[in-house]
Amino acid sequence: MDLRTFVLIDSMQPQYAALTGILLQGDTPVEGMAEIFMELAPASDVYEVLDAALKTTDVRPGLLRVEREYGTLEIHGFRQEDVRVAGREALARFGLTEADRWKPEVVSVKTVTGVDAWEAQLVNQTSRGGLLLRGQTLCVIEVVPAAYVMLAANEAEKAANITLVHYQPAGKFGRLYISGSESAVRVARDAAVTAVSSTSGQAR
């Protein structure tokens, strides 16, 4: 099995949990829960991995998706240790550990200060989170593999009083959109970049 992504969210922040609840297709998580998101190949292995996770501890499934190349799943629960154990045991069935995941990389970080009202409206049309307002600072962070943007989003919200505008965890690059005052966005940006960059894994 190729473990493209293994993301652990230790405690879902309020905005992150709310947006994640919109994006997932299964059981809806709430703030304070822990979460694991996995992406793996062959895609059909995702069924057995999720089965193992759900039969190990008290966790709930938020996503099960089989695509052409990768399968993805999400589990969450109120007890962080339950989520950790479920993820660990699910991987163990295939002789893998968290250390076998791909190492994520921050591809780009773009910041726009004093956002124009017209640009804000265009960004808001494609977002599903909070609203970007005229005059705020906007930061867009791109990561690969895409799903590690979930870690970036949660850590950014932990670090500063920002608005989580949107995150896109699929595709070639994951993208995170955050907004707020320039100082708050700077702190959140640095926390997000540090979280992704310091995550261990196998170089690809």
Side-chain angles (χ1 to χ4, degrees):
M1 182 198 291
D2 184 13
L3 186 61
R4 177 180 170 90
T5 304
F6 184 95
V7 180
L8 170 67
I9 304 297
D10 57 1
S11 179
M12 300 175 78
Q13 300 303 293
Q15 293 181 75
Y16 172 79
L19 179 53
T20 300
I22 294 173
L23 298 177
L24 295 181
Q25 300 168 336
D27 185 84
T28 303
V30 296
E31 64 180 279
M33 281 184 158
E35 172 188 45
I36 285 177
F37 185 97
M38 293 188 226
E39 188 176 29
L40 51 91
S44 59
D45 282 349
V46 73
Y47 296 112
E48 192 172 358
V49 174
L50 181 60
D51 179 71
L54 294 176
K55 290 178 178 176
T56 301
T57 59
D58 184 20
V59 294
R60 301 175 181 180
L63 178 69
L64 175 65
R65 179 184 298 140
V66 176
E67 299 175 312
R68 182 175 181 179
E69 189 173 1
Y70 296 102
T72 57
L73 68 91
E74 188 271 0
I75 57 172
H76 51 266
F78 281 107
R79 286 175 44 85
Q80 184 182 145
E81 185 59 23
D82 284 347
V83 176
R84 287 181 179 272
V85 170
R88 183 169 64 241
E89 293 301 313
L91 291 180
R93 179 175 291 193
F94 288 85
L96 297 175
T97 69
E98 185 176 337
D100 294 304
R101 65 189 172 188
W102 290 18
K103 180 170 176 55
E105 177 185 354
V106 176
V107 178
S108 71
V109 180
K110 304 296 182 183
T111 303
V112 179
T113 59
V115 171
D116 182 84
W118 299 108
E119 183 173 9
Q121 293 294 67
L122 291 174
V123 172
N124 290 332
Q125 286 180 3
T126 56
S127 76
R128 301 187 69 179
L131 296 176
L132 172 63
L133 304 178
R134 178 183 63 83
Q136 289 185 329
T137 292
L138 170 68
C139 181
V140 182
I141 301 172
E142 292 184 310
V143 304
V144 61
Y148 284 100
V149 77
M150 301 167 74
L151 176 63
N154 200 63
E155 292 303 311
E157 186 179 348
K158 276 185 188 178
N161 182 24
I162 48 91
T163 296
L164 177 53
V165 178
H166 190 59
Y167 75 82
Q168 171 54 259
K172 186 173 183 179
F173 300 112
R175 292 185 179 88
L176 168 64
Y177 301 79
I178 58 175
S179 67
S181 69
E182 185 175 355
S183 59
V185 167
R186 187 184 307 114
V187 171
R189 174 202 65 197
D190 291 349
V193 169
T194 297
V196 173
S197 300
S198 62
T199 298
S200 62
Q202 303 298 315
R204 295 290 171 171

